[in-house]
Amino acid sequence: KAGVTQTPRYLIKTRGQQVTLSCSPISGHRSVSWYQQTPGQGLQFLFEYFSETQRNKGNFPGRFSGRQFSNSRSEMNVSTLELGDSALYLCASSPSSSYNEQFFGPGTRLTVL
Amino acid sequence: EDQVTQSPEALRLQEGESSSLNCSYTVSGLRGLFWYRQDPGKGPEFLFTLYSAGEEKEKERLKATLTKKESFLHITAPKPEDSATYLCAVRRNRDDKIIFGKGTRLHILP
């Protein structure tokens, strides 16, 4: 069974640009969550989608947004990039929103110059 | 504010030297506590879910326990391949959000 895939794996952008990251969950999984991981703050929850609806949202500014498609694939977008947005962005999937175990992808390493 | 605090931040052990990692939490209404392992350059890998005080789970050299305020991850006779960052997380009842601790970096010396 294929795991969670994230594309691209690495990305370099400059301040002010926008970026879109993609996540394909494990087949059959309908819940997708996004996290930002930095050395200083650790893993911080961004948002969770289930059946194309945002179910939960973390404490991030409105520049961070996401969506989920009917095939459960998800994208997250960050507009007007800031230096502090440099981080590893992780996507996790699970069969349902009430299922506790999450399966993480390898992440997208975003560097903002 | 709900928090998850892990200690120590980093731990170096000799191969075979058993120890414990701590995860203390302040969450009003715990739905579940999770342990993950993360290797460099990879996403976290699920290890255990604990639901109620007194519960224990084991997997190879790892054993996780839960009390009302903290969880321990006991590592018995560790091997170099156990070197990784171990993450603790809690899911709270009121909104289902998951809060992660900052992790413990474990290094096992051969």
Side-chain angles (χ1 to χ4, degrees), chain B residues 19 21 35-37 47-48 57-65 72-76 78 82 86 106:
Chain B
S19 188
L21 313 183
W35 283 97
Y36 285 85
R37 168 193 170 127
L47 292 172
F48 305 108
K57 289 203 175 161
E58 285 188 69
K59 181 179 178 180
E60 296 180 357
R61 295 177 291 281
L62 300 176
K63 179 179 172 181
T65 62
F72 292 92
L73 184 65
H74 308 278
I75 303 177
T76 302
D82 295 322
Y86 290 85
L106 178 65

mmCIF file with all atom_site columns, all heavy atoms in Angstrom, chain B residues 19 21 35-37 47-48 57-65 72-76 78 82 86 106:
data_model
loop_
_atom_site.group_PDB
_atom_site.id
_atom_site.type_symbol
_atom_site.label_atom_id
_atom_site.label_alt_id
_atom_site.label_comp_id
_atom_site.label_asym_id
_atom_site.label_entity_id
_atom_site.label_seq_id
_atom_site.pdbx_PDB_ins_code
_atom_site.Cartn_x
_atom_site.Cartn_y
_atom_site.Cartn_z
_atom_site.occupancy
_atom_site.B_iso_or_equiv
_atom_site.pdbx_formal_charge
_atom_site.auth_seq_id
_atom_site.auth_comp_id
_atom_site.auth_asym_id
_atom_site.auth_atom_id
_atom_site.pdbx_PDB_model_num
ATOM 1   N N   . SER B 1 19  ? 16.396 3.741  29.646 1.00 0.00 ? 19  SER B N   1
ATOM 2   C CA  . SER B 1 19  ? 16.016 5.048  30.158 1.00 0.00 ? 19  SER B CA  1
ATOM 3   C C   . SER B 1 19  ? 14.555 5.329  29.821 1.00 0.00 ? 19  SER B C   1
ATOM 4   O O   . SER B 1 19  ? 13.878 4.499  29.205 1.00 0.00 ? 19  SER B O   1
ATOM 5   C CB  . SER B 1 19  ? 16.918 6.130  29.560 1.00 0.00 ? 19  SER B CB  1
ATOM 6   O OG  . SER B 1 19  ? 16.683 7.379  30.178 1.00 0.00 ? 19  SER B OG  1
ATOM 7   N N   . LEU B 1 21  ? 11.710 8.563  28.552 1.00 0.00 ? 21  LEU B N   1
ATOM 8   C CA  . LEU B 1 21  ? 11.416 9.900  28.064 1.00 0.00 ? 21  LEU B CA  1
ATOM 9   C C   . LEU B 1 21  ? 10.077 10.321 28.664 1.00 0.00 ? 21  LEU B C   1
ATOM 10  O O   . LEU B 1 21  ? 9.162  9.508  28.787 1.00 0.00 ? 21  LEU B O   1
ATOM 11  C CB  . LEU B 1 21  ? 11.322 9.923  26.531 1.00 0.00 ? 21  LEU B CB  1
ATOM 12  C CG  . LEU B 1 21  ? 12.432 9.222  25.746 1.00 0.00 ? 21  LEU B CG  1
ATOM 13  C CD1 . LEU B 1 21  ? 12.209 9.407  24.255 1.00 0.00 ? 21  LEU B CD1 1
ATOM 14  C CD2 . LEU B 1 21  ? 13.790 9.700  26.173 1.00 0.00 ? 21  LEU B CD2 1
ATOM 15  N N   . TRP B 1 35  ? 2.450  8.669  20.666 1.00 0.00 ? 35  TRP B N   1
ATOM 16  C CA  . TRP B 1 35  ? 3.893  8.731  20.525 1.00 0.00 ? 35  TRP B CA  1
ATOM 17  C C   . TRP B 1 35  ? 4.254  8.435  19.068 1.00 0.00 ? 35  TRP B C   1
ATOM 18  O O   . TRP B 1 35  ? 3.727  7.503  18.449 1.00 0.00 ? 35  TRP B O   1
ATOM 19  C CB  . TRP B 1 35  ? 4.575  7.711  21.435 1.00 0.00 ? 35  TRP B CB  1
ATOM 20  C CG  . TRP B 1 35  ? 4.624  8.112  22.875 1.00 0.00 ? 35  TRP B CG  1
ATOM 21  C CD1 . TRP B 1 35  ? 3.779  7.742  23.878 1.00 0.00 ? 35  TRP B CD1 1
ATOM 22  C CD2 . TRP B 1 35  ? 5.603  8.972  23.490 1.00 0.00 ? 35  TRP B CD2 1
ATOM 23  N NE1 . TRP B 1 35  ? 4.160  8.299  25.065 1.00 0.00 ? 35  TRP B NE1 1
ATOM 24  C CE2 . TRP B 1 35  ? 5.277  9.064  24.861 1.00 0.00 ? 35  TRP B CE2 1
ATOM 25  C CE3 . TRP B 1 35  ? 6.722  9.665  23.017 1.00 0.00 ? 35  TRP B CE3 1
ATOM 26  C CZ2 . TRP B 1 35  ? 6.033  9.824  25.763 1.00 0.00 ? 35  TRP B CZ2 1
ATOM 27  C CZ3 . TRP B 1 35  ? 7.467  10.418 23.911 1.00 0.00 ? 35  TRP B CZ3 1
ATOM 28  C CH2 . TRP B 1 35  ? 7.122  10.487 25.263 1.00 0.00 ? 35  TRP B CH2 1
ATOM 29  N N   . TYR B 1 36  ? 5.179  9.255  18.560 1.00 0.00 ? 36  TYR B N   1
ATOM 30  C CA  . TYR B 1 36  ? 5.684  9.091  17.207 1.00 0.00 ? 36  TYR B CA  1
ATOM 31  C C   . TYR B 1 36  ? 7.206  9.070  17.259 1.00 0.00 ? 36  TYR B C   1
ATOM 32  O O   . TYR B 1 36  ? 7.820  9.658  18.146 1.00 0.00 ? 36  TYR B O   1
ATOM 33  C CB  . TYR B 1 36  ? 5.264  10.255 16.303 1.00 0.00 ? 36  TYR B CB  1
ATOM 34  C CG  . TYR B 1 36  ? 3.821  10.242 15.874 1.00 0.00 ? 36  TYR B CG  1
ATOM 35  C CD1 . TYR B 1 36  ? 2.831  10.788 16.675 1.00 0.00 ? 36  TYR B CD1 1
ATOM 36  C CD2 . TYR B 1 36  ? 3.455  9.689  14.650 1.00 0.00 ? 36  TYR B CD2 1
ATOM 37  C CE1 . TYR B 1 36  ? 1.504  10.787 16.270 1.00 0.00 ? 36  TYR B CE1 1
ATOM 38  C CE2 . TYR B 1 36  ? 2.125  9.689  14.226 1.00 0.00 ? 36  TYR B CE2 1
ATOM 39  C CZ  . TYR B 1 36  ? 1.172  10.242 15.046 1.00 0.00 ? 36  TYR B CZ  1
ATOM 40  O OH  . TYR B 1 36  ? -0.146 10.241 14.640 1.00 0.00 ? 36  TYR B OH  1
ATOM 41  N N   . ARG B 1 37  ? 7.776  8.455  16.257 1.00 0.00 ? 37  ARG B N   1
ATOM 42  C CA  . ARG B 1 37  ? 9.230  8.472  16.077 1.00 0.00 ? 37  ARG B CA  1
ATOM 43  C C   . ARG B 1 37  ? 9.516  9.199  14.761 1.00 0.00 ? 37  ARG B C   1
ATOM 44  O O   . ARG B 1 37  ? 8.832  8.956  13.756 1.00 0.00 ? 37  ARG B O   1
ATOM 45  C CB  . ARG B 1 37  ? 9.754  7.037  15.988 1.00 0.00 ? 37  ARG B CB  1
ATOM 46  C CG  . ARG B 1 37  ? 11.194 6.930  15.524 1.00 0.00 ? 37  ARG B CG  1
ATOM 47  C CD  . ARG B 1 37  ? 11.575 5.525  15.140 1.00 0.00 ? 37  ARG B CD  1
ATOM 48  N NE  . ARG B 1 37  ? 12.874 5.540  14.490 1.00 0.00 ? 37  ARG B NE  1
ATOM 49  C CZ  . ARG B 1 37  ? 13.906 4.785  14.872 1.00 0.00 ? 37  ARG B CZ  1
ATOM 50  N NH1 . ARG B 1 37  ? 13.773 3.925  15.881 1.00 0.00 ? 37  ARG B NH1 1
ATOM 51  N NH2 . ARG B 1 37  ? 15.062 4.864  14.236 1.00 0.00 ? 37  ARG B NH2 1
ATOM 52  N N   . LEU B 1 47  ? 3.785  5.298  16.664 1.00 0.00 ? 47  LEU B N   1
ATOM 53  C CA  . LEU B 1 47  ? 4.202  4.218  17.562 1.00 0.00 ? 47  LEU B CA  1
ATOM 54  C C   . LEU B 1 47  ? 3.027  3.697  18.401 1.00 0.00 ? 47  LEU B C   1
ATOM 55  O O   . LEU B 1 47  ? 2.703  2.525  18.343 1.00 0.00 ? 47  LEU B O   1
ATOM 56  C CB  . LEU B 1 47  ? 5.314  4.692  18.501 1.00 0.00 ? 47  LEU B CB  1
ATOM 57  C CG  . LEU B 1 47  ? 6.666  5.010  17.872 1.00 0.00 ? 47  LEU B CG  1
ATOM 58  C CD1 . LEU B 1 47  ? 7.595  5.644  18.919 1.00 0.00 ? 47  LEU B CD1 1
ATOM 59  C CD2 . LEU B 1 47  ? 7.294  3.759  17.289 1.00 0.00 ? 47  LEU B CD2 1
ATOM 60  N N   . PHE B 1 48  ? 2.426  4.584  19.217 1.00 0.00 ? 48  PHE B N   1
ATOM 61  C CA  . PHE B 1 48  ? 1.388  4.153  20.149 1.00 0.00 ? 48  PHE B CA  1
ATOM 62  C C   . PHE B 1 48  ? 0.296  5.205  20.282 1.00 0.00 ? 48  PHE B C   1
ATOM 63  O O   . PHE B 1 48  ? 0.550  6.389  20.114 1.00 0.00 ? 48  PHE B O   1
ATOM 64  C CB  . PHE B 1 48  ? 1.962  3.960  21.576 1.00 0.00 ? 48  PHE B CB  1
ATOM 65  C CG  . PHE B 1 48  ? 3.124  3.035  21.693 1.00 0.00 ? 48  PHE B CG  1
ATOM 66  C CD1 . PHE B 1 48  ? 4.393  3.534  21.935 1.00 0.00 ? 48  PHE B CD1 1
ATOM 67  C CD2 . PHE B 1 48  ? 2.956  1.667  21.583 1.00 0.00 ? 48  PHE B CD2 1
ATOM 68  C CE1 . PHE B 1 48  ? 5.477  2.691  22.061 1.00 0.00 ? 48  PHE B CE1 1
ATOM 69  C CE2 . PHE B 1 48  ? 4.028  0.805  21.704 1.00 0.00 ? 48  PHE B CE2 1
ATOM 70  C CZ  . PHE B 1 48  ? 5.300  1.317  21.948 1.00 0.00 ? 48  PHE B CZ  1
ATOM 71  N N   . LYS B 1 57  ? 1.362  0.221  26.619 1.00 0.00 ? 57  LYS B N   1
ATOM 72  C CA  . LYS B 1 57  ? 1.489  -0.470 25.340 1.00 0.00 ? 57  LYS B CA  1
ATOM 73  C C   . LYS B 1 57  ? 2.958  -0.724 25.082 1.00 0.00 ? 57  LYS B C   1
ATOM 74  O O   . LYS B 1 57  ? 3.810  0.088  25.440 1.00 0.00 ? 57  LYS B O   1
ATOM 75  C CB  . LYS B 1 57  ? 0.874  0.362  24.214 1.00 0.00 ? 57  LYS B CB  1
ATOM 76  C CG  . LYS B 1 57  ? -0.633 0.403  24.324 1.00 0.00 ? 57  LYS B CG  1
ATOM 77  C CD  . LYS B 1 57  ? -1.298 0.696  23.006 1.00 0.00 ? 57  LYS B CD  1
ATOM 78  C CE  . LYS B 1 57  ? -2.808 0.611  23.163 1.00 0.00 ? 57  LYS B CE  1
ATOM 79  N NZ  . LYS B 1 57  ? -3.510 1.304  22.086 1.00 0.00 ? 57  LYS B NZ  1
ATOM 80  N N   . GLU B 1 58  ? 3.252  -1.842 24.422 1.00 0.00 ? 58  GLU B N   1
ATOM 81  C CA  . GLU B 1 58  ? 4.639  -2.223 24.168 1.00 0.00 ? 58  GLU B CA  1
ATOM 82  C C   . GLU B 1 58  ? 4.846  -2.554 22.707 1.00 0.00 ? 58  GLU B C   1
ATOM 83  O O   . GLU B 1 58  ? 3.947  -3.057 22.026 1.00 0.00 ? 58  GLU B O   1
ATOM 84  C CB  . GLU B 1 58  ? 5.018  -3.464 24.993 1.00 0.00 ? 58  GLU B CB  1
ATOM 85  C CG  . GLU B 1 58  ? 5.234  -3.201 26.453 1.00 0.00 ? 58  GLU B CG  1
ATOM 86  C CD  . GLU B 1 58  ? 5.786  -4.421 27.185 1.00 0.00 ? 58  GLU B CD  1
ATOM 87  O OE1 . GLU B 1 58  ? 6.942  -4.792 26.944 1.00 0.00 ? 58  GLU B OE1 1
ATOM 88  O OE2 . GLU B 1 58  ? 5.028  -4.998 27.980 1.00 0.00 ? 58  GLU B OE2 1
ATOM 89  N N   . LYS B 1 59  ? 6.074  -2.252 22.264 1.00 0.00 ? 59  LYS B N   1
ATOM 90  C CA  . LYS B 1 59  ? 6.465  -2.611 20.910 1.00 0.00 ? 59  LYS B CA  1
ATOM 91  C C   . LYS B 1 59  ? 7.971  -2.771 20.902 1.00 0.00 ? 59  LYS B C   1
ATOM 92  O O   . LYS B 1 59  ? 8.698  -1.790 21.067 1.00 0.00 ? 59  LYS B O   1
ATOM 93  C CB  . LYS B 1 59  ? 6.041  -1.520 19.927 1.00 0.00 ? 59  LYS B CB  1
ATOM 94  C CG  . LYS B 1 59  ? 6.387  -1.802 18.485 1.00 0.00 ? 59  LYS B CG  1
ATOM 95  C CD  . LYS B 1 59  ? 5.900  -0.648 17.606 1.00 0.00 ? 59  LYS B CD  1
ATOM 96  C CE  . LYS B 1 59  ? 6.265  -0.882 16.149 1.00 0.00 ? 59  LYS B CE  1
ATOM 97  N NZ  . LYS B 1 59  ? 5.789  0.231  15.288 1.00 0.00 ? 59  LYS B NZ  1
ATOM 98  N N   . GLU B 1 60  ? 8.410  -3.985 20.759 1.00 0.00 ? 60  GLU B N   1
ATOM 99  C CA  . GLU B 1 60  ? 9.849  -4.300 20.770 1.00 0.00 ? 60  GLU B CA  1
ATOM 100 C C   . GLU B 1 60  ? 10.487 -3.734 22.046 1.00 0.00 ? 60  GLU B C   1
ATOM 101 O O   . GLU B 1 60  ? 10.104 -4.112 23.151 1.00 0.00 ? 60  GLU B O   1
ATOM 102 C CB  . GLU B 1 60  ? 10.513 -3.773 19.509 1.00 0.00 ? 60  GLU B CB  1
ATOM 103 C CG  . GLU B 1 60  ? 9.990  -4.440 18.255 1.00 0.00 ? 60  GLU B CG  1
ATOM 104 C CD  . GLU B 1 60  ? 10.632 -3.927 16.978 1.00 0.00 ? 60  GLU B CD  1
ATOM 105 O OE1 . GLU B 1 60  ? 11.460 -3.002 17.045 1.00 0.00 ? 60  GLU B OE1 1
ATOM 106 O OE2 . GLU B 1 60  ? 10.307 -4.450 15.903 1.00 0.00 ? 60  GLU B OE2 1
ATOM 107 N N   . ARG B 1 61  ? 11.420 -2.837 21.930 1.00 0.00 ? 61  ARG B N   1
ATOM 108 C CA  . ARG B 1 61  ? 12.135 -2.328 23.112 1.00 0.00 ? 61  ARG B CA  1
ATOM 109 C C   . ARG B 1 61  ? 11.437 -1.123 23.733 1.00 0.00 ? 61  ARG B C   1
ATOM 110 O O   . ARG B 1 61  ? 11.950 -0.531 24.687 1.00 0.00 ? 61  ARG B O   1
ATOM 111 C CB  . ARG B 1 61  ? 13.569 -1.951 22.718 1.00 0.00 ? 61  ARG B CB  1
ATOM 112 C CG  . ARG B 1 61  ? 14.405 -3.161 22.289 1.00 0.00 ? 61  ARG B CG  1
ATOM 113 C CD  . ARG B 1 61  ? 15.795 -2.719 21.848 1.00 0.00 ? 61  ARG B CD  1
ATOM 114 N NE  . ARG B 1 61  ? 15.748 -1.967 20.599 1.00 0.00 ? 61  ARG B NE  1
ATOM 115 C CZ  . ARG B 1 61  ? 15.623 -2.504 19.414 1.00 0.00 ? 61  ARG B CZ  1
ATOM 116 N NH1 . ARG B 1 61  ? 15.516 -3.817 19.277 1.00 0.00 ? 61  ARG B NH1 1
ATOM 117 N NH2 . ARG B 1 61  ? 15.605 -1.734 18.326 1.00 0.00 ? 61  ARG B NH2 1
ATOM 118 N N   . LEU B 1 62  ? 10.297 -0.733 23.207 1.00 0.00 ? 62  LEU B N   1
ATOM 119 C CA  . LEU B 1 62  ? 9.592  0.451  23.671 1.00 0.00 ? 62  LEU B CA  1
ATOM 120 C C   . LEU B 1 62  ? 8.339  0.083  24.457 1.00 0.00 ? 62  LEU B C   1
ATOM 121 O O   . LEU B 1 62  ? 7.618  -0.830 24.094 1.00 0.00 ? 62  LEU B O   1
ATOM 122 C CB  . LEU B 1 62  ? 9.192  1.330  22.488 1.00 0.00 ? 62  LEU B CB  1
ATOM 123 C CG  . LEU B 1 62  ? 10.315 1.865  21.616 1.00 0.00 ? 62  LEU B CG  1
ATOM 124 C CD1 . LEU B 1 62  ? 9.734  2.638  20.436 1.00 0.00 ? 62  LEU B CD1 1
ATOM 125 C CD2 . LEU B 1 62  ? 11.251 2.759  22.410 1.00 0.00 ? 62  LEU B CD2 1
ATOM 126 N N   . LYS B 1 63  ? 8.105  0.848  25.533 1.00 0.00 ? 63  LYS B N   1
ATOM 127 C CA  . LYS B 1 63  ? 6.897  0.681  26.322 1.00 0.00 ? 63  LYS B CA  1
ATOM 128 C C   . LYS B 1 63  ? 6.390  2.046  26.716 1.00 0.00 ? 63  LYS B C   1
ATOM 129 O O   . LYS B 1 63  ? 7.133  2.841  27.293 1.00 0.00 ? 63  LYS B O   1
ATOM 130 C CB  . LYS B 1 63  ? 7.173  -0.147 27.571 1.00 0.00 ? 63  LYS B CB  1
ATOM 131 C CG  . LYS B 1 63  ? 5.970  -0.361 28.476 1.00 0.00 ? 63  LYS B CG  1
ATOM 132 C CD  . LYS B 1 63  ? 6.384  -1.210 29.669 1.00 0.00 ? 63  LYS B CD  1
ATOM 133 C CE  . LYS B 1 63  ? 5.312  -1.303 30.709 1.00 0.00 ? 63  LYS B CE  1
ATOM 134 N NZ  . LYS B 1 63  ? 5.754  -2.121 31.876 1.00 0.00 ? 63  LYS B NZ  1
ATOM 135 N N   . ALA B 1 64  ? 5.133  2.324  26.399 1.00 0.00 ? 64  ALA B N   1
ATOM 136 C CA  . ALA B 1 64  ? 4.532  3.615  26.724 1.00 0.00 ? 64  ALA B CA  1
ATOM 137 C C   . ALA B 1 64  ? 3.519  3.436  27.833 1.00 0.00 ? 64  ALA B C   1
ATOM 138 O O   . ALA B 1 64  ? 2.743  2.478  27.834 1.00 0.00 ? 64  ALA B O   1
ATOM 139 C CB  . ALA B 1 64  ? 3.865  4.211  25.491 1.00 0.00 ? 64  ALA B CB  1
ATOM 140 N N   . THR B 1 65  ? 3.546  4.374  28.794 1.00 0.00 ? 65  THR B N   1
ATOM 141 C CA  . THR B 1 65  ? 2.607  4.356  29.905 1.00 0.00 ? 65  THR B CA  1
ATOM 142 C C   . THR B 1 65  ? 1.950  5.719  30.022 1.00 0.00 ? 65  THR B C   1
ATOM 143 O O   . THR B 1 65  ? 2.495  6.726  29.551 1.00 0.00 ? 65  THR B O   1
ATOM 144 C CB  . THR B 1 65  ? 3.313  3.992  31.219 1.00 0.00 ? 65  THR B CB  1
ATOM 145 O OG1 . THR B 1 65  ? 4.305  4.996  31.512 1.00 0.00 ? 65  THR B OG1 1
ATOM 146 C CG2 . THR B 1 65  ? 3.995  2.638  31.129 1.00 0.00 ? 65  THR B CG2 1
ATOM 147 N N   . PHE B 1 72  ? 5.122  8.270  29.830 1.00 0.00 ? 72  PHE B N   1
ATOM 148 C CA  . PHE B 1 72  ? 6.526  7.915  29.738 1.00 0.00 ? 72  PHE B CA  1
ATOM 149 C C   . PHE B 1 72  ? 6.722  6.947  28.575 1.00 0.00 ? 72  PHE B C   1
ATOM 150 O O   . PHE B 1 72  ? 5.893  6.061  28.345 1.00 0.00 ? 72  PHE B O   1
ATOM 151 C CB  . PHE B 1 72  ? 7.012  7.267  31.035 1.00 0.00 ? 72  PHE B CB  1
ATOM 152 C CG  . PHE B 1 72  ? 7.053  8.194  32.210 1.00 0.00 ? 72  PHE B CG  1
ATOM 153 C CD1 . PHE B 1 72  ? 5.968  8.297  33.064 1.00 0.00 ? 72  PHE B CD1 1
ATOM 154 C CD2 . PHE B 1 72  ? 8.163  8.990  32.445 1.00 0.00 ? 72  PHE B CD2 1
ATOM 155 C CE1 . PHE B 1 72  ? 5.991  9.157  34.149 1.00 0.00 ? 72  PHE B CE1 1
ATOM 156 C CE2 . PHE B 1 72  ? 8.199  9.853  33.529 1.00 0.00 ? 72  PHE B CE2 1
ATOM 157 C CZ  . PHE B 1 72  ? 7.102  9.939  34.385 1.00 0.00 ? 72  PHE B CZ  1
ATOM 158 N N   . LEU B 1 73  ? 7.831  7.137  27.900 1.00 0.00 ? 73  LEU B N   1
ATOM 159 C CA  . LEU B 1 73  ? 8.237  6.166  26.885 1.00 0.00 ? 73  LEU B CA  1
ATOM 160 C C   . LEU B 1 73  ? 9.520  5.524  27.406 1.00 0.00 ? 73  LEU B C   1
ATOM 161 O O   . LEU B 1 73  ? 10.562 6.170  27.482 1.00 0.00 ? 73  LEU B O   1
ATOM 162 C CB  . LEU B 1 73  ? 8.484  6.850  25.539 1.00 0.00 ? 73  LEU B CB  1
ATOM 163 C CG  . LEU B 1 73  ? 8.826  5.917  24.369 1.00 0.00 ? 73  LEU B CG  1
ATOM 164 C CD1 . LEU B 1 73  ? 7.641  5.010  24.050 1.00 0.00 ? 73  LEU B CD1 1
ATOM 165 C CD2 . LEU B 1 73  ? 9.217  6.723  23.133 1.00 0.00 ? 73  LEU B CD2 1
ATOM 166 N N   . HIS B 1 74  ? 9.391  4.268  27.817 1.00 0.00 ? 74  HIS B N   1
ATOM 167 C CA  . HIS B 1 74  ? 10.527 3.537  28.371 1.00 0.00 ? 74  HIS B CA  1
ATOM 168 C C   . HIS B 1 74  ? 11.244 2.801  27.245 1.00 0.00 ? 74  HIS B C   1
ATOM 169 O O   . HIS B 1 74  ? 10.595 2.120  26.438 1.00 0.00 ? 74  HIS B O   1
ATOM 170 C CB  . HIS B 1 74  ? 10.048 2.542  29.428 1.00 0.00 ? 74  HIS B CB  1
ATOM 171 C CG  . HIS B 1 74  ? 9.184  3.141  30.494 1.00 0.00 ? 74  HIS B CG  1
ATOM 172 N ND1 . HIS B 1 74  ? 9.684  3.807  31.586 1.00 0.00 ? 74  HIS B ND1 1
ATOM 173 C CD2 . HIS B 1 74  ? 7.824  3.188  30.611 1.00 0.00 ? 74  HIS B CD2 1
ATOM 174 C CE1 . HIS B 1 74  ? 8.686  4.236  32.337 1.00 0.00 ? 74  HIS B CE1 1
ATOM 175 N NE2 . HIS B 1 74  ? 7.547  3.878  31.779 1.00 0.00 ? 74  HIS B NE2 1
ATOM 176 N N   . ILE B 1 75  ? 12.562 2.941  27.224 1.00 0.00 ? 75  ILE B N   1
ATOM 177 C CA  . ILE B 1 75  ? 13.357 2.253  26.207 1.00 0.00 ? 75  ILE B CA  1
ATOM 178 C C   . ILE B 1 75  ? 14.287 1.281  26.925 1.00 0.00 ? 75  ILE B C   1
ATOM 179 O O   . ILE B 1 75  ? 15.152 1.709  27.710 1.00 0.00 ? 75  ILE B O   1
ATOM 180 C CB  . ILE B 1 75  ? 14.158 3.263  25.367 1.00 0.00 ? 75  ILE B CB  1
ATOM 181 C CG1 . ILE B 1 75  ? 13.204 4.263  24.742 1.00 0.00 ? 75  ILE B CG1 1
ATOM 182 C CG2 . ILE B 1 75  ? 14.966 2.549  24.301 1.00 0.00 ? 75  ILE B CG2 1
ATOM 183 C CD1 . ILE B 1 75  ? 13.866 5.353  23.950 1.00 0.00 ? 75  ILE B CD1 1
ATOM 184 N N   . THR B 1 76  ? 14.085 0.014  26.649 1.00 0.00 ? 76  THR B N   1
ATOM 185 C CA  . THR B 1 76  ? 14.846 -1.032 27.329 1.00 0.00 ? 76  THR B CA  1
ATOM 186 C C   . THR B 1 76  ? 15.951 -1.552 26.415 1.00 0.00 ? 76  THR B C   1
ATOM 187 O O   . THR B 1 76  ? 15.703 -1.906 25.263 1.00 0.00 ? 76  THR B O   1
ATOM 188 C CB  . THR B 1 76  ? 13.920 -2.196 27.719 1.00 0.00 ? 76  THR B CB  1
ATOM 189 O OG1 . THR B 1 76  ? 12.869 -1.701 28.548 1.00 0.00 ? 76  THR B OG1 1
ATOM 190 C CG2 . THR B 1 76  ? 14.688 -3.284 28.469 1.00 0.00 ? 76  THR B CG2 1
ATOM 191 N N   . PRO B 1 78  ? 18.425 -0.193 24.625 1.00 0.00 ? 78  PRO B N   1
ATOM 192 C CA  . PRO B 1 78  ? 18.346 0.387  23.283 1.00 0.00 ? 78  PRO B CA  1
ATOM 193 C C   . PRO B 1 78  ? 19.533 0.026  22.401 1.00 0.00 ? 78  PRO B C   1
ATOM 194 O O   . PRO B 1 78  ? 20.632 -0.254 22.889 1.00 0.00 ? 78  PRO B O   1
ATOM 195 C CB  . PRO B 1 78  ? 18.301 1.893  23.550 1.00 0.00 ? 78  PRO B CB  1
ATOM 196 C CG  . PRO B 1 78  ? 18.980 2.067  24.861 1.00 0.00 ? 78  PRO B CG  1
ATOM 197 C CD  . PRO B 1 78  ? 18.628 0.852  25.657 1.00 0.00 ? 78  PRO B CD  1
ATOM 198 N N   . ASP B 1 82  ? 17.699 2.771  17.370 1.00 0.00 ? 82  ASP B N   1
ATOM 199 C CA  . ASP B 1 82  ? 16.637 3.455  18.099 1.00 0.00 ? 82  ASP B CA  1
ATOM 200 C C   . ASP B 1 82  ? 16.874 4.962  18.145 1.00 0.00 ? 82  ASP B C   1
ATOM 201 O O   . ASP B 1 82  ? 16.019 5.716  18.629 1.00 0.00 ? 82  ASP B O   1
ATOM 202 C CB  . ASP B 1 82  ? 16.526 2.914  19.532 1.00 0.00 ? 82  ASP B CB  1
ATOM 203 C CG  . ASP B 1 82  ? 16.092 1.458  19.567 1.00 0.00 ? 82  ASP B CG  1
ATOM 204 O OD1 . ASP B 1 82  ? 15.239 1.070  18.729 1.00 0.00 ? 82  ASP B OD1 1
ATOM 205 O OD2 . ASP B 1 82  ? 16.608 0.709  20.416 1.00 0.00 ? 82  ASP B OD2 1
ATOM 206 N N   . TYR B 1 86  ? 11.772 11.497 19.304 1.00 0.00 ? 86  TYR B N   1
ATOM 207 C CA  . TYR B 1 86  ? 10.501 10.911 19.735 1.00 0.00 ? 86  TYR B CA  1
ATOM 208 C C   . TYR B 1 86  ? 9.541  12.046 20.096 1.00 0.00 ? 86  TYR B C   1
ATOM 209 O O   . TYR B 1 86  ? 9.859  12.905 20.923 1.00 0.00 ? 86  TYR B O   1
ATOM 210 C CB  . TYR B 1 86  ? 10.726 9.955  20.909 1.00 0.00 ? 86  TYR B CB  1
ATOM 211 C CG  . TYR B 1 86  ? 11.445 8.704  20.457 1.00 0.00 ? 86  TYR B CG  1
ATOM 212 C CD1 . TYR B 1 86  ? 12.834 8.693  20.369 1.00 0.00 ? 86  TYR B CD1 1
ATOM 213 C CD2 . TYR B 1 86  ? 10.740 7.573  20.061 1.00 0.00 ? 86  TYR B CD2 1
ATOM 214 C CE1 . TYR B 1 86  ? 13.502 7.560  19.908 1.00 0.00 ? 86  TYR B CE1 1
ATOM 215 C CE2 . TYR B 1 86  ? 11.396 6.443  19.605 1.00 0.00 ? 86  TYR B CE2 1
ATOM 216 C CZ  . TYR B 1 86  ? 12.780 6.446  19.529 1.00 0.00 ? 86  TYR B CZ  1
ATOM 217 O OH  . TYR B 1 86  ? 13.439 5.320  19.063 1.00 0.00 ? 86  TYR B OH  1
ATOM 218 N N   . LEU B 1 106 ? 16.947 11.463 20.747 1.00 0.00 ? 106 LEU B N   1
ATOM 219 C CA  . LEU B 1 106 ? 17.626 10.348 21.405 1.00 0.00 ? 106 LEU B CA  1
ATOM 220 C C   . LEU B 1 106 ? 18.763 9.856  20.532 1.00 0.00 ? 106 LEU B C   1
ATOM 221 O O   . LEU B 1 106 ? 18.575 9.584  19.349 1.00 0.00 ? 106 LEU B O   1
ATOM 222 C CB  . LEU B 1 106 ? 16.636 9.206  21.659 1.00 0.00 ? 106 LEU B CB  1
ATOM 223 C CG  . LEU B 1 106 ? 17.198 7.941  22.293 1.00 0.00 ? 106 LEU B CG  1
ATOM 224 C CD1 . LEU B 1 106 ? 17.696 8.233  23.706 1.00 0.00 ? 106 LEU B CD1 1
ATOM 225 C CD2 . LEU B 1 106 ? 16.147 6.845  22.313 1.00 0.00 ? 106 LEU B CD2 1
#
